[in-house]
Amino acid sequence: ESISEEYQIYKMTVNDGVEISSSYVIKDENEKLVRHNNMSFFPTLEDAQQALSEIVHQRFEEQSQ
C-alpha cells in the first residue's frame, strides 16, 4: 500500500449564518484531520494537494531511513 493512499482531501463548506465559505482538509485513514505547517484547513484545492504532496514526501523519507 502506498503512503498517498492513506490520505484523502475533502472539501468542507461552512455556513456561519452570514457567509458561506469553503476550504479543504486532509484526513488520514482513521478520518482524523492532518495538520501540516500548523494548518488543518487549506483555502484552495491546490494548497491542499501541495500540502499532501509534502506530507507524503516527508513520510517516504522517514520510512527510507
Side-chain angles (χ1 to χ4, degrees):
E1 181 180 347
S2 78
I3 294 170
S4 62
E5 293 174 358
E6 297 176 19
Y7 301 97
Q8 292 290 323
I9 295 174
Y10 294 92
K11 182 177 183 178
M12 295 188 65
T13 303
V14 178
N15 183 351
D16 63 8
V18 176
E19 181 180 12
I20 298 174
S21 60
S22 295
S23 60
Y24 294 85
V25 296
I26 301 170
K27 292 185 178 182
D28 66 14
E29 68 272 10
N30 298 316
E31 295 291 311
K32 294 190 179 192
L33 287 179
V34 176
R35 290 179 60 83
H36 181 66
N37 291 337
N38 294 321
M39 294 177 62
S40 295
F41 298 90
F42 302 92
T44 67
L45 178 58
E46 292 78 17
D47 291 335
Q49 289 171 331
Q50 177 64 34
L52 181 54
S53 174
E54 292 171 7
I55 290 166
V56 169
H57 181 76
Q58 182 179 8
R59 289 264 324 268
F60 180 78
E61 285 188 351
E62 289 171 357
Q63 285 187 354
S64 67
Q65 290 180 357

